[in-house]
Amino acid sequence: MSIQRADIEKLAELARIHVNEDTVTATTLGINRVLELIDQLRAADTTGIAPLANPLDATQRLREDLVSETVDRDALQAAAPAVEAGLYLVPKVVE
Amino acid sequence: MSWETVIGLEVHLQLATRSKLFSGAATAFGAAPNTQACAIDLALPGTLPLLNKAAVEMAIRFGLAVDAEINPVSVFERKNYFYPDLPKGYQTTQLAHPIVGPGHLDIELADGREKRIRIHHAHLEEDAGKSLHEDFHGLSGIDLNRAGTPLIEIVTEPDLRNAEEAVAFAKKLHAIVTALGISDGDMSQGSMRFDVNVSVRRPGEPLGTRTETKNLNSFRFMERAIAKEVARQIGVLEDGGRVLQETRLYDGDTDSARAMRSKEEANDYRYFPCPDLLPVHVAPALIEQLRASQPELPDARRARFVAEHGLSDYDAGQLAADTPTAHYFEAAAKASGDPKLAANWLMGEIAARLNSTETAIAACPVSPAQLGGLLQRILDRTISNAIARQVFDALWNGASDADAVIEAKGLKQVSDSGAIAALVDQVLVANPKQVADYRAAPDDKKAKMFGFFVGQAMKASGGKVNPQQLNALLAARLNG
């Protein structure tokens, strides 16, 4: 399995990562090397083995439904570039 | 040649938990912006999710209510996309292994027939925040209070064939989830939101290209949006065009819709299992414990109202669908001792008042006990139905109980035959011409003319005369 330059460009756009003319070739090669490793893993015989969603042999712990967090909005918003009327401000997004 | 409409629904239901799906922040509606968005909801570095047990149990309750398989192991995945109201850059949701597997819901069609609608699956996921596009100096404002609120997304098979069926399904679903108590079902606050997948085809042909209209938050909007989209697609196809697979937005205020974005690009979410969450194991013992404690659902309640209270199937259906209404009915039926009369009042006078004043039954100013007290006075003939409406009026406006109102206003029904006879005489003497006309009229005309005298006597007594006695005495005098 290998991917092409066009795949990298599309993924980069979806992930909001900037790749330019200089880096796209190297990135394509690098990711293809990772995919070769994955191909080796896929070659292993997994007949009769249930797929694993997580390598830990453990079960998700559950939390009681209690309100345990107190929100210090001012402290949390101190890290934000722009706030107003309690809202985080971001570049305009209208679909 | 005719067209066949094919509809599938995706329903987002906010669960009635106190805290978020993965954090201990509160979920209460209407809090000041970002006062319920904690570090976990904001996806600050180093935070980890911890799954809410109540949300898992509510999802299982839903699954049991629609006869679905509950998957013993379910897995959370990351759905990756960028939008400012999604702080993590991905939504934690379920895809390949949802908690609730295939189930079904039977809806009642307009002609009374039942139709089974298959449910493909239902999964747990978190809600996103809200973007406010009012002008913040050319910026958007983000409120993340809703971010992380637990949802179940319920996905149907494309089994619905018109807007009416879709609405019937949506209403039934609403009745079930509110009866289960897993959601407040308040659509005006976004607790239940519908995405509608619509396509059209010639009968017998393969499925046509579908569009998805998102975030419909009322039954009426859903019905209109479907009708509009079906008409649009038929128009496109009959003009020789092609329906594009796209996401559409419907604006209920203007009854108009537009394409939102090309689905191909946006649809590439690169799902993968969330490394921060382990697979969720549901023990058979938990399923059995929840099954044993499921509340009564509307269909069962309807059957019980027929069997236990002697209501017609129609009335029982009306009262059983909405849980607060059903509870009110049962309390009033008990307090009055006459379920049928309580049902009539609830669906008549009370429903009309609640409607015209836009009041929820839970906030009805007349309690079931007060209504019961009023109905008892009708049943023991202390007051007539007409007077009862006056008493009801007083109760609605804050009077304490029916007996006090009847006493204070002197509304007790006159059932003393001497007094009624005197009243009848008074009416006959005052209307000699009508009496003569009545006596000269052919029998088939008399019934209608008789009503005039009843009306006059009622008017003269302020509506307080016992109607049966009045009718008997009037008939005796006029015909005798």
Side-chain angles (χ1 to χ4, degrees):
Chain A
M1 181 175 151
S2 74
I3 62 171
Q4 311 301 317
R5 181 193 173 105
D7 301 319
I8 293 292
E9 283 168 348
K10 184 176 179 219
L11 272 175
E13 194 192 328
L14 288 169
R16 303 292 190 270
I17 293 170
H18 184 65
V19 290
N20 57 30
E21 276 307 309
D22 300 338
T23 52
V24 68
T25 310
T27 307
T28 308
L29 285 171
I31 288 185
N32 273 321
R33 277 201 291 277
V34 173
L35 289 175
E36 280 168 26
L37 279 175
I38 290 172
D39 281 341
Q40 284 182 37
L41 287 171
R42 290 181 130 178
D45 182 8
T46 56
T47 316
I49 300 173
L52 206 59
N54 191 292
L56 300 176
D57 184 19
T59 293
Q60 178 61 41
R61 261 182 56 218
L62 301 178
R63 169 179 66 79
E64 291 300 322
D65 179 26
L66 298 170
V67 176
S68 54
E69 294 280 340
T70 45
V71 175
D72 183 347
R73 188 176 71 184
D74 290 341
L76 291 170
Q77 293 197 331
V83 293
E84 187 176 314
L87 300 164
Y88 294 92
L89 297 189
V90 299
K92 195 152 188 112
V93 276
V94 179
E95 180 61 73
Chain B
M1 197 157 80
S2 66
W3 293 93
E4 182 181 46
T5 303
V6 178
I7 301 167
L9 296 180
E10 292 168 25
V11 186
H12 287 92
L13 182 75
Q14 277 186 358
L15 298 176
T17 56
R18 287 185 282 269
S19 64
K20 303 263 174 94
L21 185 56
F22 298 118
S23 83
T27 54
F29 181 83
N34 292 308
T35 55
Q36 294 181 164
C38 71
I40 297 169
D41 307 324
L42 297 178
L44 295 191
T47 55
L48 282 172
L50 191 49
L51 184 58
N52 187 333
K53 184 180 177 188
V56 171
E57 294 184 352
M58 287 177 183
I60 296 171
R61 284 199 185 281
F62 172 75
L64 293 174
V66 294
D67 284 331
E69 298 159 27
I70 308 300
N71 287 322
V73 180
S74 61
V75 176
F76 282 99
E77 307 207 23
R78 293 184 176 182
K79 177 181 181 179
N80 299 280
Y81 66 95
F82 285 100
Y83 206 72
D85 60 19
L86 188 75
K88 290 185 294 194
Y90 59 85
Q91 180 193 31
T92 306
T93 179
Q94 300 183 312
L95 181 72
H97 304 279
I99 186 159
V100 176
H104 60 84
L105 197 61
D106 295 334
I107 60 168
E108 199 174 306
L109 305 180
D111 61 10
R113 278 183 306 127
E114 279 211 333
K115 178 172 176 179
R116 175 152 294 189
I117 307 302
R118 290 169 300 156
I119 290 171
H120 180 272
H121 78 274
H123 63 259
L124 274 165
E125 64 183 26
E126 58 183 344
D127 211 340
K130 276 182 185 165
S131 308
L132 301 155
H133 303 301
E134 292 92 68
D135 195 24
F136 293 100
H137 334 290
L139 301 171
S140 289
I142 306 292
D143 178 6
L144 295 171
N145 279 351
R146 201 179 65 180
T149 294
L151 302 174
I152 51 174
E153 179 175 337
I154 301 152
V155 181
T156 75
E157 297 284 356
D159 287 349
L160 300 155
R161 288 292 171 271
N162 54 52
E164 294 72 34
E165 289 184 14
V167 170
F169 177 88
K171 286 187 171 167
K172 180 118 188 215
L173 192 65
H174 185 269
I176 287 174
V177 300
T178 50
L180 286 170
I182 63 170
S183 176
D184 64 18
D186 190 335
M187 299 177 45
S188 68
Q189 295 181 357
S191 294
M192 197 174 191
R193 316 191 293 265
F194 300 94
D195 298 346
V196 184
N197 291 299
V198 177
S199 62
V200 298
R201 64 175 170 190
R202 298 294 189 189
E205 302 257 300
L207 289 174
T209 304
R210 70 189 159 92
T211 63
E212 181 180 24
T213 303
K214 284 183 101 72
N215 271 333
L216 300 164
N217 65 354
S218 83
F219 300 129
R220 196 161 46 92
F221 287 169
M222 189 168 121
E223 190 161 11
R224 284 208 214 143
I226 292 172
K228 216 167 185 67
E229 179 56 13
V230 168
R232 188 190 70 87
Q233 288 188 13
I234 291 175
V236 167
L237 294 171
E238 290 190 342
D239 287 346
R242 195 165 66 87
V243 173
L244 299 176
Q245 183 173 337
E246 62 189 6
T247 302
R248 299 180 63 82
L249 273 184
Y250 173 80
D251 182 346
D253 295 332
T254 57
D255 189 25
S256 61
R258 62 182 170 86
M260 196 163 121
R261 61 189 174 205
S262 144
K263 193 81 182 170
E264 292 104 90
E265 195 220 343
N267 213 8
D268 193 349
Y269 292 122
R270 294 148 293 133
Y271 284 90
F272 62 91
C274 180
D276 287 347
L277 288 157
L278 292 161
V280 180
H281 289 254
V282 177
L286 175 63
I287 297 176
E288 288 323 306
Q289 181 205 321
L290 293 170
R291 194 194 303 278
S293 61
Q294 283 283 82
E296 187 177 42
L297 294 179
D299 280 353
R301 189 150 61 200
R302 175 180 186 165
R304 185 169 61 80
F305 282 3
V306 172
E308 214 170 87
H309 297 310
L311 300 188
S312 71
D313 188 53
Y314 178 82
D315 289 358
Q318 295 287 302
L319 294 172
D322 176 57
T323 299
T325 303
H327 289 161
Y328 188 106
F329 161 69
E330 292 214 87
K334 197 172 169 205
S336 67
D338 188 330
K340 183 76 197 146
L341 188 62
N344 287 344
W345 272 75
L346 191 46
M347 291 186 295
E349 198 72 22
I350 294 188
R353 288 290 181 110
L354 293 174
N355 242 328
S356 67
T357 56
E358 291 183 16
T359 309
I361 183 102
C364 181
V366 181
S367 72
Q370 286 175 310
L371 180 67
L374 171 63
L375 301 187
Q376 281 183 348
R377 294 293 88 82
I378 300 174
L379 291 164
D380 68 13
R381 303 190 176 220
T382 305
I383 53 174
S384 64
N385 268 310
I387 294 290
R389 269 184 220 108
Q390 281 184 45
V391 179
F392 179 81
D393 215 46
L395 292 173
W396 183 275
N397 291 307
S400 63
D401 69 283
D403 287 341
V405 176
I406 294 165
E407 184 64 39
K409 297 195 174 177
L411 296 174
K412 202 162 182 295
Q413 183 161 266
V414 178
S415 38
D416 167 47
S417 342
I420 298 175
L423 184 70
V424 167
D425 287 340
Q426 184 194 320
V427 168
L428 299 189
V429 168
N431 300 284
K433 184 177 178 311
Q434 282 83 352
V435 174
D437 288 351
Y438 177 88
R439 287 187 172 138
D443 278 356
D444 61 330
K445 293 269 170 13
K446 279 188 171 165
K448 203 176 162 198
M449 298 169 80
F450 188 76
F452 167 78
F453 299 104
V454 175
Q456 291 297 310
M458 276 295 174
K459 204 167 145 194
S461 74
K464 290 189 289 185
V465 184
N466 178 310
Q468 287 83 8
Q469 283 177 289
L470 175 65
N471 281 340
L473 278 168
L474 252 179
R477 286 295 162 94
L478 280 168
N479 301 330

